[in-house]
Amino acid sequence: MAIQNRIADFHADMTAWRHHIHENPEVAFEETQTSAFVAEKLSEFGIEVHRGLAGTGVVGVLQGEGRDTGKTIGLRADMDALPMQEENTFAHASKVAGKMHACGHDGHTTMLLGAARYLAETRNFSGTVNFIFQPAEEGAGGGKRMVEEGLFDQFPCDMVFGMHNWPELPPGKMGVRSGPVMAGADRFEITIQGRGGHAAQPHLGVDPVVVAAQLVVAAQTLVSRGLSPVECGVVSITRIHAGTAFNIIPNEVKLAGTVRALTPEIRQQLEDGLRNLVRTLPPVFGATGELVYHLGYPPTINHADPTVIAAAVAAKVAGAENVLGDMGPSMGAEDFAYMLNARPGSYVWLGQGGSALGCSLHNPRYDFNDDVLPMGASYWATLVETVLPRAA
Ligand SMILES: [Zn+2]
Ligand SMILES: [Zn+2]
């Protein structure tokens, strides 16, 4: 394994930073202490610090020592925790009730800081690195806001890269794939309006429960009959609320659910299909339907050329035999998608281990594996030295 020796030297420091961030979790757009910590470390390393993008976002800018080639790269980490209660009892467990770093963003922030320290010391590259620390990855779209507020205008990046720890992969392994890696995730609410009445006199009203049942079944054909069998998508109706008693047909039924897809085209097809069903199916039974559709994160789609680079760098750091190129995509979602929609780049998975013990992402006993901190930081550092080679 080609861990940068200098990075291995500060494994203990990185572990201490990671524990400090883990103990003090802050959720979406409230990362004031965390971003102050990041800014303080970056300045300590001698890196130019910019604060305020998307509120609590931080960007560090560093020039290499080689002749300036005008080339630029962005490396992104997320800083936010989750609104959930930690069940771990070790010394660095969360000190804040109801908040926890259960997705490993404490580790992501630490690895990027580790790489920043190394690169600021060595500066063995030509061009500019932008270290992007974003708020609010967990659902609130901090990455989207950074892009909208001019991230790439203020800090030009020819390419942008992301990394997430992956508990299903053992430590020492990395997952790199081209094309879609994470799904787009939308949510929706449906109201079916009928006409309630006595359960013994269904012919005098319009029973919205029966209509809702038809709609749930029909919605399942959007994927099973609407998509090619080799494509994938998800339409899940996860909530149905109606009625108050056994002998009353209610006036209306409320449903809710989620749509997931790996490409913008399938995402659009599923949304259009659902709209069409909600508009046309209830009237067949004398009822009406209304759909409120909320667009969430788009699919995260890796670009081909940057992914070839990411795979080569991962092989250099982890050993070619430890880089998996054939991992399937995840139907989870990631707001790094907005950065990849704006700039070419690639998002990789870093082996973390732990899922065998039930400690998957968002589990109340999850903890980032400190053993992999040097590997993640080495990936970042090697990526910079590869993409921005030192020019004489
Ligand atoms: Zn998460
Ligand atoms: Zn995450």
Side-chain angles (χ1 to χ4, degrees):
M1 204 182 287
I3 297 301
Q4 302 271 6
N5 288 333
R6 182 63 190 132
I7 289 178
D9 285 347
F10 42 81
H11 192 178
D13 288 348
M14 283 196 284
T15 304
W17 304 341
R18 213 279 295 170
H19 290 189
H20 170 76
I21 300 170
H22 190 91
E23 279 176 24
N24 300 285
E26 295 172 301
V27 297
F29 295 120
E30 294 175 5
E31 306 89 342
T32 48
Q33 285 183 58
T34 311
S35 62
F37 179 81
V38 165
E40 187 192 300
K41 288 284 165 220
L42 291 175
S43 336
E44 226 173 75
F45 306 153
I47 293 174
E48 184 186 311
V49 177
H50 300 261
R51 302 184 65 178
L53 261 189
T56 46
V58 183
V59 181
V61 179
L62 179 70
Q63 324 284 344
E65 226 169 43
R67 176 175 57 80
D68 189 13
T69 53
K71 293 212 182 325
T72 54
I73 188 173
L75 312 177
R76 171 272 204 176
D78 37 17
M79 301 187 288
D80 57 319
L82 283 155
M84 61 187 278
Q85 183 63 39
E86 178 157 4
E87 287 181 10
N88 292 310
T89 51
F90 44 60
H92 65 273
S94 170
K95 288 181 187 158
V96 187
K99 292 178 190 171
M100 171 189 182
H101 270 290
C103 205
H105 300 183
D106 48 347
H108 301 167
T109 298
T110 299
M111 292 187 294
L112 191 52
L113 282 176
R117 176 167 164 186
Y118 165 87
L119 290 165
E121 266 182 28
T122 53
R123 297 193 190 225
N124 188 26
F125 61 95
S126 287
T128 306
V129 185
N130 296 302
F131 302 95
I132 303 165
F133 295 86
Q134 76 149 82
E137 191 288 319
E138 297 286 1
K144 178 176 190 250
R145 223 177 108 185
M146 282 188 102
V147 173
E148 284 171 355
E149 290 182 12
L151 172 67
F152 295 126
D153 304 323
Q154 290 182 49
F155 308 98
C157 296
D158 300 328
M159 288 192 274
V160 65
F161 291 86
M163 171 161 50
H164 206 292
N165 76 95
W166 210 249
E168 288 78 54
L169 269 184
K173 303 225 179 255
M174 294 185 73
V176 187
R177 63 172 279 133
S178 192
V181 280
M182 307 282 277
D186 303 332
R187 65 188 172 85
F188 58 82
E189 288 113 38
I190 296 169
T191 305
I192 308 279
Q193 193 69 45
R195 197 169 65 251
H198 201 295
Q201 298 173 313
H203 59 296
L204 298 181
V206 174
D207 185 350
V209 175
V210 173
V211 181
Q214 304 278 351
L215 187 75
V216 171
V217 175
Q220 293 315 301
T221 67
L222 296 173
V223 171
S224 69
R225 305 290 89 181
L227 296 188
S228 155
V230 296
E231 305 272 24
C232 73
V234 178
V235 177
S236 289
I237 292 183
T238 53
R239 199 174 73 205
I240 305 181
H241 285 169
T244 53
F246 79 96
N247 57 354
I248 303 168
I249 292 172
N251 264 324
E252 62 174 30
V253 178
K254 289 190 175 287
L255 307 98
T258 184
V259 167
R260 309 261 163 154
L262 290 173
T263 67
E265 295 75 23
I266 291 179
R267 182 192 199 198
Q268 189 65 52
Q269 183 182 333
L270 294 176
E271 180 190 342
D272 292 347
L274 194 62
R275 276 192 194 287
N276 184 42
L277 274 182
V278 173
R279 186 171 50 83
T280 58
L281 185 140
V284 172
F285 301 92
T288 57
E290 190 195 314
L291 174 72
V292 180
Y293 198 90
H294 308 271
L295 288 174
Y297 295 169
T300 303
I301 302 175
N302 280 341
H303 300 245
D305 291 347
T307 303
V308 171
I309 298 169
V313 170
K316 217 167 176 179
V317 175
E321 70 283 7
N322 291 314
V323 180
L324 286 80
D326 56 354
M327 273 175 71
S330 159
M331 293 310 271
E334 170 51 88
D335 84 342
F336 187 61
Y338 294 100
M339 296 193 191
L340 286 183
N341 281 351
R343 287 293 178 278
S346 191
Y347 175 86
V348 302
W349 288 314
L350 178 69
Q352 153 85 26
S355 67
L357 305 169
C359 289
S360 49
L361 299 174
H362 296 204
N363 180 286
R365 289 193 180 277
Y366 170 90
D367 189 37
F368 188 92
N369 181 355
D370 291 314
D371 293 348
V372 308
L373 290 170
M375 188 165 166
S378 291
Y379 169 77
W380 284 137
T382 310
L383 185 65
V384 170
E385 291 174 354
T386 304
V387 175
L388 305 179
R390 187 177 182 133

